[in-house]
Each structure stands twice: as structure tokens, then as C-alpha cells.
Amino acid sequence: MLEVIDLHKNYGKFAAVKGVSFELMPGDVFGFIGSNGAGKTTTIRMIATLLEPTAGTARLNGIDIVKNPMAVRTMLGYMPDFFGLYDDIKVWEYLDYFARLYRVKRQSIPDKIDEVLSLTNLGIKRNDYVQHLSRGMQQRLCLARCLVHDPSLLLLDEPASGLDPRARAELKDLIAALASQGKIVIVSSHILPELADFCNKVGIIERGDLLEFGGVDEIVNRVRPERTLRLHLLERSTEAAQWLEASEHVHGLLVGTTHEVRFKFRGSMIEQAEMVTGLVHAGFGVVGLKDELFDLEDVFLQITTGAVN
Amino acid sequence: MPNVLHWFADRWQGLMNNPTAIRDSRIQMRGRKGTTVISIYLVLMISIVLYFYQTMVLRGGATDPAGLQDLLRNLYRLIMGALGATVCLVPTMMGAFSVVMERSRRTLELITLAPIRPHEYLVGKLVSSTRFTSVLLLAGLPALAITLAIGGATPLDLITTIILYVSQAITFASVGLYVSSFLRNPILSIVFSGMGIFCLNWIGLGVRYSENTGWWHALTYLSPFATMESGTGLLMPFGPIGIPGWIAGLGVNALVTLIFLSQAAPGIDPTDATLVRRSRLVQLGLTVTGTLAMLVMGAQSFGQSDYPLNSPNNGIGIVASVFGGIIGLFMVLGARGDDDHARYRADQKFNIREILTGQASTLYAYGLLHYGIVVAGLLVGALAGWLPTPHIGPLLYGFAFITMMRGIVEFVSKRTESVKSARALSLVWIAGMVLVPSVLVGLMSTSGDSADRLLALHPVLALDPRVPWASFGWGMLFLLVGYLFKTARVKSQKLPAHITTVDISGETPIIRTDFLSPIRTEDGDEQHLAN
């Protein structure tokens, strides 16, 4: 379990992070969203014990990052927004080095290396030099390095930047697999629709302030309680519009064509299902109901101003 | 005894399994690169030896054993000189490159994130920086064997010199590592390390050719060239006993290596308050040693007839400049800009138990404790009559000087954002504090002032025993200056309040900075207005 408690970071009089707090449980994949300079990397680096907070702290499995950074380091894997690789070394040697640095038992190092190479799909490249790997493979090797000591928290700073679509899809699957092993994963990224795919929690940060924190749907509903729905009918769209107008959840009714009614709906998914059932029982030929797209990117653009530190 | 053996066995095991040493060994010794270099080196060395032997010994007509012995001794010195140059260059350069390259590759950050102590990492780097030179030295032994013929050199000379060379290689690598752990530019790292090695050689050769003798002659073995000139069999007087030169040399090199490694550790992980505290403790130790050494030198020279002229050349001048220079280097390189300065926790609580058990992060409290011990020691020593009164001033002077430097460095760090500016400004301040009075004294000396008065006015020459209370006065002044700098608060803001915004609505992002000018509202409150 990771508790981030009122984390602050000041550089002189400049406040880079202003009181960030959140809590994550094992298996959570947390998407950290923000513009460049918003404070994402500073927050991640504080959790990684690379920066000392000006105030506040974080606890990983009950251990304080400020009071006992050495103990925390054994439990976290940090993948920065750069590779940090040695060119003139083989893939297994790179992992062996970090396994030794993390004091993994010497007898179990070969097995551990095989395990993380297989997880990151790099088994075939075991004896290749790092400089001969493609960018995507180097990225996976970095992830393998983070995993070699079996951490309970993974901090991934912009892991998908510069990757091609296939490599991104593979990375997404890998992160999902790691979360299913009970690890806490924190991912910062600019590619918001992707984050929505595999993050169960997101946080939006701007100028050091955590503006939103919670589940993706929860935040979408909080930011935009009204959704625009399009109802497709076989016929009788005007009558259907009248029926809908009587519903307490429907606002801003707009009849589009003879087969479509567009309206603003304020309610939960259950209430939406009840409305559709009511329409069917009233004898309307419902062909479909479509939610107009409003995703994480829309949320981000709506609640942030674009200002940076 | 078995405990000691276990301790050594554990340390040896740790050294053999050091992750950084293992990794670097894989890279350095892989393929044909290492073998080729060693082969070329051996071919060159054997060629030189054979050529020399052929032309000078066999054809040179040295038929008598004494002449032949001289020739072989010259050959021995020639090869040892070449090996000495190798010892000066290779480990220093490898050390100077090692951490700086990790930093530029940004792998250092990943390493410091692992749960290892910076010392462990530095020891690994030390092994990898000296491994190659050690192999070269050992590989050269068979070629040198020819000089053993007919007593050109003794086997003991040869072996002890090689052992000393290995220890010097380790020392030089530690200097390179120290510089490298604080800098980001490889070229600068090489230049500064080279200067450091030059200084160590200068100390060794200076001591070797100085007229005074004593325990401090062990410093000869900081230089491979001085080692070659001096030989390794001299007995160094340490109180009532005499220690063979090569053993004293090993001790001196081990000490210097430890000093540089302890100072390098905060450069690897500046957030670790324990490392910073330890490095300051070493600086304190150096100050004590330097001050005591100055006193001993002064005392030795005091009775000599040509004392005022003799003293600076043989004792005080060398020791003061060496220790002052080393401490000044540590201080200046340790200066950090505001960004890094903010990393240290401003924990001012004084907990004696934590301090004594090494758990305290309270540098301030730690310093206070040690200063307290020193002052109490001085008082007890003076009251009991163990410490001659003229020696109190110079001792206080040493501690006060380090306090002043620390105060200046901290003050500059608070006022400056970048590390480079902090270091440059610290250097200027510290140099200024010594140079300005020197210039003034220089000007006064031309106006015919009395010599003693001038000595008292000079910030360094005030250590002269002829003006015993001058050093006390300077010490008090340094303490005051250090205290004022240390406690000075930063009041002014460097930049006026401003807001920077980036407009990304268009195709090209527009960065805009609005400076805020304070205005006073009707009810007297001050507000900021963008202009």
C-alpha cells in the first residue's frame, strides 16, 4: 500500500509540488497526468527517494520514504524518462549488475534474470549487447531492470514515449500483467486515451496541485455530470422526444432526424438502463443508444488551464 | 585473532563480489582489447630492457662488477620511472572518467537508487580504476628481473617498490574518483585530477629533497618518482621506533585514499546526511593534523639560527599550503547551489545520544559537539600546563579557519541557484579573505613597519610562534566571520514575482512571462499586478 501524504517540494521560493496526497492499494495502476512542468516527475522522484520532500512524506507498506529511504528502495522499481543503459554490456550482464546492486541472493540471480526476460519477452536477446537492441526492446530491458528485485511499487515515468504502436500495446499488456501480480504501478504519460485503457485510477496535476484523483469514470462523471446521448429509433422520434421530456434525468432535448433524438442525460448507468427499458415497454423501436465521446483527454483539457510552472 | 581473520575474510569477500567491480571487469577485460594492450606493453618493455642490456651492458664495455652494477641500477631507474609515469596517468584518468561518465549516461541515478552505500560503489570503481595498472605492474616484473643480476637492485627493493606503486595507483585513482564524483564535465575532471596528482608528486618530491627529517618524510611515498629516488628501505622515525619506509608509505597512501573516498561519497549521494557529516569530520581531522603539523614544524625550526628564513621553506610553508589547499578544495567543491542546498534537512535538534551513536542528521549539532570537545581540550591542556600557551592560538586558528570557510560556503549556497556559481563564488570569497590582508601587509612592509607587527597582521604568517597571540586574534576573527556568514539570512528575492504561461492554442506554443509589480490598494494592502 502506498500513502502519499501532503507532499511538498520547494526550490527556494518556487513551489514545484504543493501538497499532493493520494493512496494506492496493491494491484492499482495509477495514471499521473499533467503538462510538462506540472510536477509529475518531481512527485515521482520524491516517492522514489531521489528527492527529499520539503514537507510531507509518503509511506510504502508502512515504511516512511524520508525516515528510511534505504528500506523503501528495496521495494520500488523506478523507470525514469531516459533509458540509463550501458552500451558495451550484454542484456543478462546488465540485469545481473542491478540484481547484485539490489542484493538479490547470488544463487537465485540466474533464475530471476530468466524470469524477467521472459516476462518482458526479451529471452531471445539474453546474450545480445544492449546497443544492438531496438528502442522498444531497450525500453523493455529498462522495465526488466525495475523488476529484477521483485518490487511492490513500480514508478514508470513516460514509459511509452517514442515507442511504436505495437511496442506501446505490448507495454500496456505488460503493465496489466504486473498489476495482476499485486504490484502498485504509477505511470505518468501524455498519451491520455491509453492511460484510460489500463489505469483504474488517475490523478491530474497542474502547477504542483493535484486537481483530481480517482477512477476514470468517477472523474469523468465528476467533471461532466451531464452526458450527451444519441437515441436511434426505427420511427416516431417526435413522440419519443415527448416521452423523454417527462424523465427527470433528461435535459436539453433535441430532435435530430426522424430516426434520432439527441439529449443531455444526468444520471447513473442504472438509471440510463431503466430509461431504455421504459422506452421499449412504451413501444418505441429502439435501435441503439450512443454516448457521445468524452474521455480522459476531454476531462484533462476541461479542468486544466494549460499554464505551466 | 580469528575475529580479525573473519573481518578480513568478509572484507575480501565483499571486494571480490562488489557488483560495480564485477561489471567493469566484464567490460574492461572482454575480448582482445585488454590482451592486446598488455601484449604491446610487454613487448615494448622487454625490447627496452634488451636494447639497453645489449648496447650499454654487453657492448658498453662495463667489465668490472661495480660498473655493471651501476648500469643495471640505471636500467632499473629508467624502467621504474616509466612505470611511475604509468602509475600517475592510467589510474588517475580511469578514476577521473568513471563517475563523470556514469553521470553523463544518467546511470548514476539508477545506481544511487539501489540500496547500496556510496562507499561500496566507490570501492568498486576504485578496483576497476586500478585493476589494469596493477596488471601492467605485475606483468612487468619478469622484464625487471634482469636488473636483479649482479646486485643492480635487490629483490626486496623491486617487490616493495611495486607494492608501493600499486598503493599509489589506488591513491591516484581515489583523487580522480573524488574529482569525478563532483563534476559533470569529463575534460574538467581530467584536468582537476591531473592537477591533484601533480600536487601529490610535488609534495612527495618536495619532502624528498627537503633538509628536515622526521616522521613526515613518509609523505615522500605519495610520489612514485620520489619513491624511486628515495628507495623503500629508509627508516621513518615515529617516536621511539623506526618504521621501514615502504610500510610508512603504504600507511600514508591508505590514509590519503580514505580521505579522498570519504570526501567523494557525498558527491555520489548528496541527500545522505550521514555521509556529509562524516566528510566534515574528516575535514576537521585534517585541520587538526595540519595545525599540529604546522606547530611541530614551527617548533623544530624555532631553535635554528636562521629560523625566520628557514621555517617557511622547510616546514610551515609546505604543510600550511598543502593542508590549506586540500581543505579549501574540499570546501569549494562541496559548495552547492540553492537547488541542492534545499535537499539537506534543516534539522536543528540536538540529541546527544543520536550524535554519539552516529544516527544524527544534525550536522550543526555534530559540529558543535566536536568544537566543544576541542575547546574543552584546549582549556584543560592549557590549565594543566601540558599545552604551551603559544600553541593555543594556532590550534584555535585552524578550527576557526574551517568554520569561516564553511560559513562562506553555506552563505554562498543559500544565495546562489547553480552549483557552478556557488563553487566559483566560494573560491573567490575564501581566496579574497586571505589575499586582501596579504596585499595590505605587502603594501605596509614597503613603508618600513616592524617585522613582528607585519607577521601579526598577515592571516597566514600570524601562525609564526614569535607572535603567539596574533593567531588567537585571527582565530577569533575567523570564528566571528564564519558565524556571521553561517547565520546570515537571505532576505531579497532574486527575481521579481512573475507568472509564466504557455499558450498552446495555436500551432506554435507561445511562452509569456508577466512580471508582477506591487500596488497598494485603498485599504493599504499590497497586491501584485501583471504588467
Side-chain angles (χ1 to χ4, degrees):
Chain A
M1 180 183 170
L2 174 73
E3 303 157 88
V4 177
I5 307 156
D6 198 24
L7 217 49
H8 285 78
K9 182 68 194 175
N10 293 353
Y11 293 102
K13 290 188 174 175
F14 167 71
V17 175
K18 306 168 194 165
V20 168
S21 299
F22 57 84
E23 205 174 291
L24 298 172
M25 302 302 288
D28 276 346
V29 181
F30 172 58
F32 211 14
I33 307 167
S35 320
N36 290 328
K40 299 186 302 285
T41 301
T42 307
T43 308
I44 286 181
R45 286 170 66 84
M46 280 192 281
I47 298 170
T49 74
L50 282 169
L51 275 179
E52 194 163 351
T54 309
T57 189
R59 282 191 212 112
L60 180 58
N61 299 331
I63 299 172
D64 195 296
I65 60 159
V66 178
K67 288 181 184 159
N68 200 351
M70 277 291 178
V72 171
R73 287 173 185 183
T74 58
M75 292 188 287
L76 65 86
Y78 171 54
M79 189 164 111
D81 54 354
F82 54 86
F83 286 162
L85 297 167
Y86 302 94
D87 288 343
D88 41 8
I89 200 169
K90 292 179 179 179
V91 167
W92 77 266
E93 288 172 344
Y94 180 72
L95 295 174
D96 178 76
Y97 176 49
F98 280 93
R100 285 171 189 265
L101 285 180
Y102 277 92
R103 306 192 195 288
V104 176
K105 277 186 185 168
R106 256 190 298 158
Q107 297 81 353
S108 59
I109 288 177
D111 291 341
K112 198 69 211 171
I113 290 174
D114 287 343
E115 187 187 321
V116 293
L117 284 177
S118 142
L119 189 68
T120 51
N121 209 9
L122 281 173
I124 199 167
K125 297 287 176 185
R126 196 180 195 283
N127 290 312
D128 284 19
Y129 282 97
V130 170
Q131 59 188 335
H132 296 149
L133 299 181
S134 68
R135 189 179 169 85
M137 286 175 183
Q138 289 187 347
Q139 189 83 315
R140 275 186 275 152
L141 179 58
C142 288
L143 193 54
R145 170 187 52 76
C146 297
L147 296 170
V148 80
H149 58 289
D150 197 17
S152 51
L153 169 66
L154 275 172
L155 299 163
L156 312 179
D157 197 359
E158 303 286 352
S161 63
L163 295 186
D164 61 37
R166 182 174 292 280
R168 268 191 234 162
E170 284 173 0
L171 186 72
K172 221 157 58 176
D173 293 343
L174 191 54
I175 290 172
L178 293 169
S180 70
Q181 290 176 7
K183 296 186 193 302
I184 303 170
V185 186
I186 296 183
V187 188
S188 86
S189 178
H190 295 302
I191 307 162
L192 305 183
E194 281 195 358
L195 279 181
D197 284 351
F198 63 87
C199 292
N200 63 335
K201 284 180 182 161
V202 289
I204 298 175
I205 189 168
E206 188 177 46
R207 295 175 79 169
D209 281 319
L210 189 65
L211 303 177
E212 287 290 341
F213 172 78
V216 178
D217 291 339
E218 194 185 319
I219 289 182
V220 169
N221 287 336
R222 202 183 306 149
V223 171
R224 195 180 178 188
E226 278 183 352
R227 287 175 291 132
T228 304
L229 300 179
R230 282 167 189 266
L231 177 68
H232 288 263
L233 299 151
L234 287 172
E235 54 190 0
R236 296 164 62 201
S237 61
T238 314
E239 286 171 52
Q242 284 166 358
W243 189 93
L244 285 169
E245 210 162 15
S247 166
E248 58 175 312
H249 301 298
V250 174
H251 304 270
L253 197 65
L254 185 76
V255 179
T257 63
T258 49
H259 299 293
E260 186 187 272
V261 182
R262 193 160 161 259
F263 57 95
K264 292 195 183 302
F265 182 83
R266 185 178 290 174
S268 65
M269 288 294 175
I270 297 168
E271 286 156 346
Q272 185 180 324
E274 283 170 357
M275 181 190 72
V276 175
T277 312
L279 277 165
V280 173
H281 284 166
F284 294 104
V286 177
V287 175
L289 184 70
K290 202 174 171 187
D291 200 343
E292 273 192 0
L293 198 64
F294 188 76
D295 59 15
L296 207 50
E297 201 155 319
D298 299 313
V299 173
F300 178 69
L301 292 174
Q302 184 161 322
I303 69 170
T304 58
T305 59
V308 294
N309 282 324
Chain B
M1 194 64 182
N3 283 340
V4 177
L5 287 177
H6 277 135
W7 188 87
F8 275 109
D10 283 350
R11 292 293 170 283
W12 181 251
Q13 195 71 11
L15 202 61
M16 291 295 101
N17 291 319
N18 186 293
T20 307
I22 292 173
R23 186 209 62 193
D24 285 351
S25 159
R26 281 174 180 150
I27 297 172
Q28 282 172 358
M29 301 294 176
R30 196 190 319 269
R32 284 167 293 193
K33 202 168 56 183
T35 319
T36 311
V37 172
I38 292 171
S39 306
I40 292 171
Y41 161 82
L42 281 176
V43 166
L44 274 175
M45 180 158 283
I46 290 166
S47 305
I48 291 169
V49 170
L50 288 178
Y51 177 77
F52 188 93
Y53 194 73
Q54 187 74 15
T55 53
M56 309 247 343
V57 179
L58 294 183
R59 291 186 194 165
T63 47
D64 64 306
L68 198 59
Q69 230 174 39
D70 280 346
L71 280 172
L72 287 172
R73 197 163 286 137
N74 284 340
L75 175 62
Y76 174 78
R77 286 156 62 89
L78 175 79
I79 295 172
M80 279 302 175
L83 287 181
T86 310
V87 165
C88 286
L89 289 174
V90 180
T92 313
M93 287 179 73
M94 289 179 90
F97 264 124
S98 57
V99 184
V100 108
M101 292 310 284
E102 293 265 20
R103 188 174 279 122
S104 66
R105 210 189 278 131
R106 301 184 74 180
T107 42
L108 186 63
E109 190 172 297
L110 303 178
I111 292 165
T112 51
L113 195 56
I116 59 154
R117 288 273 170 204
H119 293 111
E120 203 180 327
Y121 170 72
L122 284 169
V123 167
K125 280 290 174 194
L126 198 63
V127 171
S128 46
S129 301
T130 48
R131 183 192 291 118
F132 204 68
T133 312
S134 305
V135 169
L136 291 182
L137 288 173
L138 294 176
L141 272 178
L144 276 164
I146 196 168
T147 61
L148 300 178
I150 333 176
T154 66
L156 186 69
D157 269 349
L158 188 61
I159 290 166
T160 51
T161 308
I162 291 292
I163 290 174
L164 268 176
Y165 274 16
V166 172
S167 77
Q168 284 157 357
I170 293 172
T171 306
F172 294 166
S174 73
V175 174
L177 277 175
Y178 164 69
V179 175
S180 170
S181 65
F182 281 96
L183 297 180
R184 291 174 186 277
N185 184 328
I187 306 294
L188 274 184
S189 181
I190 291 278
V191 171
F192 276 110
S193 306
M195 283 162 65
I197 300 315
F198 178 79
C199 288
L200 288 181
N201 273 292
W202 181 77
I203 293 169
L205 287 167
V207 171
R208 161 75 183 85
Y209 290 111
S210 72
E211 289 170 15
N212 276 9
T213 54
W215 58 266
W216 60 291
H217 250 253
L219 293 174
T220 304
Y221 298 108
L222 284 175
S223 161
F225 305 111
T227 304
M228 186 186 75
E229 286 295 309
S230 251
T232 55
L234 291 175
L235 279 184
M236 300 286 143
F238 280 88
I241 55 163
I243 296 176
W246 69 278
I247 292 181
L250 285 181
V252 165
N253 279 290
L255 188 66
V256 175
T257 304
L258 284 176
I259 288 170
F260 276 102
L261 286 188
S262 72
Q263 298 303 305
I268 304 294
D269 187 359
T271 59
D272 193 330
T274 311
L275 295 179
V276 179
R277 193 188 67 232
R278 278 185 195 156
S279 80
R280 289 187 188 173
L281 198 60
V282 171
Q283 289 172 16
L284 208 61
L286 270 177
T287 314
V288 178
T289 316
T291 315
L292 286 175
M294 278 187 257
L295 290 174
V296 171
M297 299 300 124
Q300 273 189 3
S301 308
F302 195 60
Q304 294 177 10
S305 57
D306 56 346
Y307 161 64
L309 297 172
N310 190 23
S311 156
N313 289 334
N314 285 342
I316 294 176
I318 290 177
V319 178
S321 57
V322 167
F323 281 97
I326 290 174
I327 295 166
L329 179 74
F330 289 156
M331 289 283 177
V332 172
L333 278 182
R336 303 192 156 269
D338 194 38
D339 282 5
D340 281 343
H341 193 76
R343 288 175 169 193
Y344 298 108
R345 249 176 296 160
D347 183 1
Q348 298 289 311
K349 277 186 282 180
F350 189 92
N351 185 327
I352 191 87
R353 189 185 57 80
E354 282 190 355
I355 292 166
L356 292 175
T357 52
Q359 303 297 313
S361 62
T362 53
L363 298 171
Y364 180 67
Y366 204 80
L368 271 181
L369 180 80
H370 286 272
Y371 278 86
I373 291 169
V374 169
V375 171
L378 285 177
L379 284 175
V380 170
L383 290 173
W386 302 325
L387 187 72
T389 314
H391 286 190
I392 296 176
L395 276 172
L396 177 77
Y397 176 97
F399 288 105
F401 194 71
I402 199 170
T403 306
M404 183 188 73
M405 283 202 282
R406 172 60 54 201
I408 290 173
V409 165
E410 286 193 10
F411 176 76
V412 168
S413 292
K414 279 184 221 163
R415 304 272 307 190
T416 320
E417 281 188 5
S418 89
V419 174
K420 273 185 192 168
S421 313
R423 285 175 184 162
L425 275 174
S426 303
L427 184 65
V428 169
W429 269 102
I430 292 169
M433 289 297 294
V434 177
L435 287 180
V436 172
S438 300
V439 171
L440 289 177
V441 169
L443 289 173
M444 285 166 71
S445 68
T446 55
S447 63
D449 241 317
S450 74
D452 281 9
R453 193 171 152 196
L454 289 181
L455 282 177
L457 287 174
H458 194 279
V460 177
L461 295 182
L463 283 165
D464 195 300
R466 282 179 299 174
V467 280
W469 294 104
S471 51
F472 187 81
W474 275 104
M476 293 303 284
L477 180 69
F478 288 159
L479 272 181
L480 179 70
V481 172
Y483 176 77
L484 289 177
F485 274 118
K486 213 173 162 69
T487 52
R489 287 188 182 171
V490 181
K491 286 176 186 164
S492 64
Q493 199 179 343
K494 283 178 279 295
L495 271 179
H498 64 283
I499 298 172
T500 302
T501 47
V502 180
D503 182 0
I504 54 168
S505 55
E507 281 184 10
T508 315
I510 300 165
I511 300 171
R512 188 178 148 203
T513 303
D514 293 317
F515 286 93
L516 303 169
S517 47
I519 56 160
R520 205 162 284 281
T521 57
E522 284 177 4
D523 53 0
D525 290 339
E526 203 174 71
Q527 287 187 346
H528 288 282
L529 178 74
N531 50 31

